[in-house]
Amino acid sequence: MQRRTFLSGVVPAMAGTTLFPFAPTPLIEKNDAFPGLITREKEPSNLEFPFATLKGRITPNAQFFVRSHFPFPKLDPDVWKLSLTGDVKRAITISYDELRKMPSKTVMATLECAGNGRAKLAPKVKGLLWEQGAVGNAEWTGVPLSALLEKAGLNADVLEIILEGADKGEITEEPRSPGEIRFARSISLKKALEANVLIAYQMNGKDLPIAHGYPVRAIIPGWYGMASIKWLTNIIATSKPFEGYWQTIEYAYWKRQANQPTLTAVTAVEAKAEIARPMLHEIVPAGKPYRIHGAAWCGEKSVIKVEISTDNGLSWQGVKLLDTEIPNVWRLWEFNWHVPSKPSTAGILVRATDSDGHVQPDKHDPDRRTYMVNKTVAMEVEIG
Amino acid sequence: MQRRTFLSGVVPAMAGTTLFPFAPTPLIEKNDAFPGLITREKEPSNLEFPFATLKGRITPNAQFFVRSHFPFPKLDPDVWKLSLTGDVKRAITISYDELRKMPSKTVMATLECAGNGRAKLAPKVKGLLWEQGAVGNAEWTGVPLSALLEKAGLNADVLEIILEGADKGEITEEPRSPGEIRFARSISLKKALEANVLIAYQMNGKDLPIAHGYPVRAIIPGWYGMASIKWLTNIIATSKPFEGYWQTIEYAYWKRQANQPTLTAVTAVEAKAEIARPMLHEIVPAGKPYRIHGAAWCGEKSVIKVEISTDNGLSWQGVKLLDTEIPNVWRLWEFNWHVPSKPSTAGILVRATDSDGHVQPDKHDPDRRTYMVNKTVAMEVEIG
C-alpha cells in the first residue's frame, strides 16, 4: 500500500508528479512546497490556484487550492480511526484499512471556497482575500457517507450529520473561539444521504495529499468547500441543529425570514462564471480573434448558460459551453472574440445562469457578509 | 391620562419625583439628565446604578440602570401600535389605549444586564465594562403576554415568540449587523406563556420612562435584561428557532452539547450575590461591628442561601436573607461583621446558591464569553 511508502519517506499523493520532487517533510510544513500556487497566508497554509493557468476540467492535485484554518494535522493511517456516534443505533469505528475495503465510488466534484472572490469586495474586508482561484475540480474516490450511516443505523429523529476534522486550534481574534476547537460542520440529513457525498481517500487517483485531508476527508458536492471536512475523524448524528463556530461565527450569512435577518449557515454554491484568459490588464492584439475562456459552475444546480459582454456590460451574448454536463462539476467555456481593430480598453464580464433561473448579480448583497461572492466584475483589458 | 401631560411638556414617569426637576427634552436627549447614575457610554445611553447606594428592595426609576443599543426612539402613544403577527390564527394590532384597557397585572421583577460584572474579567474584554450596577428591581404593570397570544390564537407549531423594538441602527464594527436592524429577541413559547411575562406600560406605578421603553416594553422575569425588549412594537410567533443578531452575534454563548461548543442564546439569569457596602478600599473601623449588606438573585430559581467570607475565601458563613421570597426578585441580605481590632486589609467575598444547588463559581467559564459573569470576586477593604 502506498501509505507504507509514505512511512518510508515518499509522499504517496505526490509520487509520480514532476512538480513535487522533494521529501515529504517540507510538503507538510512549508508552503513554498507549492510552487504552482499563490500564497495568501503562510501559517495556516492558504494557497490559491492561479486561475489564469486553467487548462483542463480536472485541476491537478498540486494546483488545487488549499484552505486550512489550523496547521495540517499529521495523521498516521495505521492509527487513524473514523468514529460514527451520536443519535445512532450502533456507534461504529472504522479503520483506514476497513474503509478502503468497503465498496468505493469515484465522483467528480468542483469545490469552491465560500470566500472565493472576496478580494473583489469594496471597501476591503477582513478575511483571506481570495481572488478567483479558491476553486478547483477533481475526481474523488471513497465510500458514500450513506453506506456508513446505514451501517450505524440512524435514529428516526436525526436532523443533521456533524463532520469533525482533526485540525484544531484557538481563534484568539474577536470573535474568539471557545478555547481550542476542531474544525467541524454539519450537513442536513437530506444532503448526507445523497449518493455522491463521499468519505474520500483519493483525489485524482492518488491518496489524498496532506494538504487535502490525508488520510480521509468528506466531499460534499454542490456545497461550498468548508463543508468538505478534511482530516475527518468524527461523524456525529444529531437531532438538533448544530450551531458550531464554523457555521455561526464563520461561514454564516444573514438570511431574511419574515422580515428578520437570521444568521444561517452557508451551504450550497451560487452560480458563477470566471474568466481565465485574458487576465486583468492583459494586452490583447487589436483586430485579431482572441479565445476568451474560463469555467462556470452553479453548485447543486446545472449551468444553463454563460453570457459574456466585451463592452462593459452594455450587450451580452452566449458563450460555448464545453464538455458534457456532470452534476456539481464546473463546465469549461470559450468565446471567440473578434477584437476591435482600434486600440482602446475593454471591460469584459461573464455571468452564469443556473437551472433555477438565478443569474449572477451585479452587486454583492451585504447580507451575505464576505461569503458567496458571485457578483459580476468587469475585467479590463488593453486592446493594442 | 398622563400621556396628555407628556405631550404638553412634562415627562409623566418623572412627574412627582424630586430627582428630575427638569423639562423632558434633556431627559430624552442627554445623559447628564441622570445624575444618580454612572455613565458607561454617552450615545447610545448606557448608565449604571451605583450599587453602593442600594437602599431598598425597589430601585427608583431614576436610579434604574439604562442599557440601550441605539438612540432612544421617540414614540407617540397616540400613534404607537403593537402588532402580533406570524404563525397565528388572526394577526392583531393593539393601540396604547386598548392595551391599557385590558386586564392588567403588576409583577415585581429584577432585571440584570447579561454583561453586568464584565469589568471583572481579566484581561480586559470588549463591550461595555459594567461593574456591579447593571441590575435593578422594579414593579412592572401591564398585560400578560399570554393574554395577547390568546387573542391572536397560536398555531400548533409555534416554537418561539419574537419581540421586536422600535430602536434601530447599524452596527458597523465587526461583526457587522446586516444593515440597519432593530433590537429583537425571541423567547421560548414556554417562557412566553408564563403568567408573569408582561407587556408593560408602567414601572413602579408611573408610566415607563423614555429610557425604559416608553410607551410599552416586555418584561421577561428571570431572564437577562436583553430579552425584556423596550419600545416594543412587534410580536411575531414563529415555528423556527430565531437566529437574529442579538442572540447569535451578541448575547450568545458557547453551550457544550455532545462535546461540541454550540452558539446558544443567553437566557436565564445565573446565581449572584453582590455587596453594596463596604465599597472597594473602604476603610472599615477596626474592632467595631459593621453591617455588610447587598442583594442576591438567582433568576428563575430561588435564592437558597448566601454565604460570606471576610478572610479572602478561607472560611464561609451564612448571611441573613431579608424580605420574603418573591419569584424572579432579588433578596436583600445583611451580615453583622465583627471587624478585627488589628489594622490590616480584608478580602470580602459573597456567593449565592440557587434552588438547583448551583453555587457561584470562583472562575469565569470562557464558554460564556463576556456574558453571565457571576464568578466571586474578593473585595478588598482596609481595616483601620
Side-chain angles (χ1 to χ4, degrees):
Chain A
M1 278 175 72
Q2 285 193 302
R3 66 198 165 86
R4 306 291 170 206
T5 321
F6 167 69
L7 294 172
S8 72
V10 178
V11 178
M14 298 304 163
T17 73
T18 51
L19 276 165
F20 283 88
F22 36 67
T25 312
L27 178 67
I28 301 170
E29 302 284 350
K30 293 176 71 178
N31 300 316
D32 56 5
F34 296 85
L37 294 171
I38 305 157
T39 299
R40 294 279 171 224
E41 188 175 23
K42 290 200 83 153
E43 187 57 53
S45 186
N46 283 292
L47 310 166
E48 178 165 346
F49 167 55
F51 199 75
T53 69
L54 178 73
K55 283 195 181 65
R57 196 172 201 178
I58 295 290
T59 313
N61 290 357
Q63 283 199 282
F64 207 97
F65 79 100
V66 174
R67 174 69 178 111
S68 58
H69 302 81
F70 301 114
F72 300 160
K74 291 160 208 163
L75 303 176
D76 178 346
D78 283 340
V79 174
W80 175 92
K81 297 257 190 270
L82 179 62
S83 81
L84 204 171
T85 57
D87 208 4
V88 294
K89 296 199 170 60
R90 302 163 289 279
I92 56 174
T93 300
I94 293 171
S95 72
Y96 186 66
D97 276 346
E98 286 165 346
L99 186 76
R100 291 192 69 135
K101 280 178 190 148
M102 288 180 71
S104 74
K105 184 171 181 178
T106 295
V107 167
M108 194 189 289
T110 298
L111 294 188
E112 182 187 14
C113 174
N116 189 37
R118 186 180 286 145
K120 292 172 188 164
L121 297 181
K124 277 282 167 278
V125 294
K126 275 178 67 174
L128 289 167
L129 294 183
W130 301 107
E131 296 276 354
Q132 292 184 280
V135 60
N137 183 53
E139 285 191 313
W140 310 92
T141 302
V143 175
L145 173 56
S146 58
L148 295 174
L149 296 179
E150 204 175 307
K151 244 174 138 65
L154 295 176
N155 291 336
D157 58 352
V158 169
L159 198 63
E160 296 185 357
I161 305 294
I162 301 171
L163 304 170
E164 191 183 65
D167 44 334
K168 60 184 176 184
E170 185 167 359
I171 308 294
T172 54
E173 286 167 45
E174 294 290 346
R176 289 163 177 270
S177 65
E180 185 177 87
I181 54 170
R182 284 167 183 262
F183 193 79
R185 261 266 172 176
S186 72
I187 57 175
S188 60
L189 179 60
K190 183 167 171 288
K191 188 73 190 175
L193 295 178
E194 282 183 11
N196 283 352
V197 167
L198 291 188
I199 304 305
Y201 45 79
Q202 287 200 323
M203 177 179 186
N204 293 327
K206 307 272 183 187
D207 286 357
L208 285 176
I210 307 271
H212 295 291
Y214 184 78
V216 171
R217 72 175 298 170
I219 293 293
I220 317 296
W223 283 27
Y224 283 105
M226 80 273 127
S228 292
I229 302 292
K230 300 193 279 189
W231 310 292
L232 185 71
T233 55
N234 292 291
I235 300 173
I236 305 149
T238 176
S239 59
K240 285 186 187 167
F242 179 51
E243 304 288 349
Y245 186 92
W246 307 100
Q247 56 203 54
T248 51
I249 303 296
E250 295 267 11
Y251 301 121
Y253 71 107
W254 296 105
K255 189 170 177 176
R256 304 270 163 173
Q257 291 180 318
N259 215 22
Q260 300 285 336
T262 60
L263 197 68
T264 306
V266 171
T267 57
V269 170
E270 298 282 334
K272 189 184 275 187
E274 289 189 350
I275 301 167
R277 294 292 299 274
M279 292 172 71
L280 184 65
H281 302 312
E282 178 171 330
I283 299 170
V284 176
K288 292 189 178 167
Y290 185 98
R291 179 181 176 262
I292 302 177
H293 75 102
W297 56 96
C298 295
E300 297 172 330
K301 309 288 174 355
S302 301
V303 180
I304 286 298
K305 64 174 172 184
V306 175
E307 296 163 289
I308 194 165
S309 169
T310 55
D311 55 8
N312 222 358
L314 285 176
S315 64
W316 294 84
Q317 51 196 306
V319 306
K320 186 177 176 192
L321 290 173
L322 308 172
D323 329 305
T324 50
E325 191 189 327
I326 303 176
N328 313 307
V329 172
W330 69 17
R331 294 187 76 170
L332 304 188
W333 57 265
E334 65 179 14
F335 176 76
N336 289 311
W337 184 25
H338 302 287
V339 182
S341 51
K342 206 173 131 192
S344 62
T345 60
I348 306 178
L349 295 94
V350 283
R351 65 183 183 203
T353 300
D354 74 20
S355 43
D356 277 358
H358 296 124
V359 191
Q360 283 183 250
D362 55 8
K363 279 204 198 76
H364 182 67
D365 179 351
D367 278 1
R368 293 185 180 182
R369 302 167 88 196
T370 67
Y371 305 108
M372 303 182 277
V373 183
N374 72 333
K375 67 169 177 173
T376 56
V377 180
M379 177 182 281
E380 200 171 81
V381 298
E382 318 292 322
I383 298 170
Chain B
M1 276 177 70
Q2 285 194 301
R3 66 196 167 88
R4 307 288 171 210
T5 320
F6 168 69
L7 293 172
S8 72
V10 178
V11 177
M14 298 304 164
T17 73
T18 52
L19 275 165
F20 283 88
F22 36 67
T25 312
L27 177 67
I28 301 169
E29 301 284 350
K30 293 176 74 180
N31 300 317
D32 56 6
F34 297 84
L37 294 170
I38 305 157
T39 299
R40 295 278 170 225
E41 187 176 22
K42 290 200 83 152
E43 188 57 53
S45 187
N46 283 291
L47 311 165
E48 179 165 346
F49 168 54
F51 199 75
T53 69
L54 178 74
K55 283 196 181 65
R57 197 173 200 179
I58 294 290
T59 312
N61 290 358
Q63 282 200 282
F64 207 97
F65 80 98
V66 175
R67 174 71 178 108
S68 58
H69 302 82
F70 301 114
F72 300 159
K74 291 161 209 164
L75 303 177
D76 179 346
D78 283 339
V79 175
W80 175 91
K81 297 257 189 270
L82 179 63
S83 81
L84 204 171
T85 57
D87 208 4
V88 293
K89 297 198 170 61
R90 302 164 290 280
I92 56 174
T93 300
I94 293 171
S95 72
Y96 187 65
D97 277 347
E98 286 166 345
L99 186 75
R100 291 192 69 136
K101 279 179 192 148
M102 287 181 72
S104 74
K105 184 171 181 177
T106 295
V107 168
M108 195 189 287
T110 299
L111 294 188
E112 182 187 14
C113 174
N116 189 36
R118 186 180 286 146
K120 292 173 189 164
L121 297 180
K124 278 280 166 281
V125 294
K126 275 178 68 174
L128 289 168
L129 294 184
W130 301 107
E131 295 277 355
Q132 292 184 280
V135 60
N137 183 53
E139 285 191 314
W140 311 92
T141 302
V143 176
L145 173 57
S146 59
L148 296 174
L149 296 178
E150 204 175 307
K151 243 173 139 62
L154 295 175
N155 292 335
D157 59 352
V158 169
L159 199 63
E160 297 185 357
I161 305 295
I162 302 170
L163 305 169
E164 192 183 66
D167 44 334
K168 60 185 177 185
E170 186 167 358
I171 308 294
T172 54
E173 285 168 46
E174 293 290 347
R176 289 162 178 271
S177 64
E180 185 178 87
I181 55 170
R182 285 166 182 264
F183 193 79
R185 260 267 172 175
S186 72
I187 57 175
S188 61
L189 179 60
K190 184 169 171 288
K191 188 72 189 173
L193 295 178
E194 282 183 11
N196 283 351
V197 167
L198 291 189
I199 303 306
Y201 45 79
Q202 286 199 323
M203 178 179 186
N204 292 328
K206 307 272 182 186
D207 286 357
L208 285 175
I210 306 272
H212 295 291
Y214 184 78
V216 171
R217 72 175 299 172
I219 293 294
I220 317 296
W223 283 27
Y224 285 105
M226 79 273 128
S228 292
I229 302 293
K230 300 193 278 189
W231 311 291
L232 184 72
T233 55
N234 292 291
I235 301 173
I236 306 149
T238 175
S239 59
K240 285 186 187 169
F242 179 51
E243 304 288 348
Y245 186 91
W246 307 101
Q247 56 204 56
T248 52
I249 303 296
E250 295 267 11
Y251 301 121
Y253 71 107
W254 296 105
K255 188 170 178 177
R256 303 270 164 173
Q257 292 181 318
N259 214 23
Q260 300 286 336
T262 60
L263 197 67
T264 305
V266 171
T267 57
V269 171
E270 297 282 334
K272 189 184 276 186
E274 289 189 350
I275 301 168
R277 294 291 299 273
M279 293 172 71
L280 184 65
H281 302 312
E282 178 170 331
I283 299 170
V284 176
K288 291 188 179 168
Y290 184 98
R291 179 180 176 262
I292 303 178
H293 74 102
W297 57 94
C298 295
E300 297 173 330
K301 309 287 173 356
S302 302
V303 180
I304 286 298
K305 64 175 172 184
V306 175
E307 296 163 290
I308 193 163
S309 169
T310 55
D311 56 7
N312 222 0
L314 286 176
S315 65
W316 294 83
Q317 51 195 307
V319 306
K320 186 178 176 192
L321 290 174
L322 307 172
D323 328 306
T324 50
E325 192 189 324
I326 303 176
N328 313 307
V329 172
W330 70 17
R331 294 187 76 170
L332 304 188
W333 57 265
E334 65 179 14
F335 176 74
N336 289 311
W337 184 25
H338 302 288
V339 182
S341 51
K342 206 173 132 194
S344 62
T345 61
I348 306 177
L349 296 94
V350 283
R351 65 183 183 201
T353 301
D354 75 20
S355 43
D356 277 358
H358 296 123
V359 191
Q360 283 184 250
D362 56 7
K363 280 204 197 77
H364 181 67
D365 178 351
D367 278 2
R368 293 185 180 181
R369 301 168 88 197
T370 69
Y371 305 107
M372 304 183 276
V373 183
N374 71 333
K375 67 167 177 175
T376 55
V377 179
M379 177 182 281
E380 199 171 82
V381 298
E382 319 291 323
I383 298 170

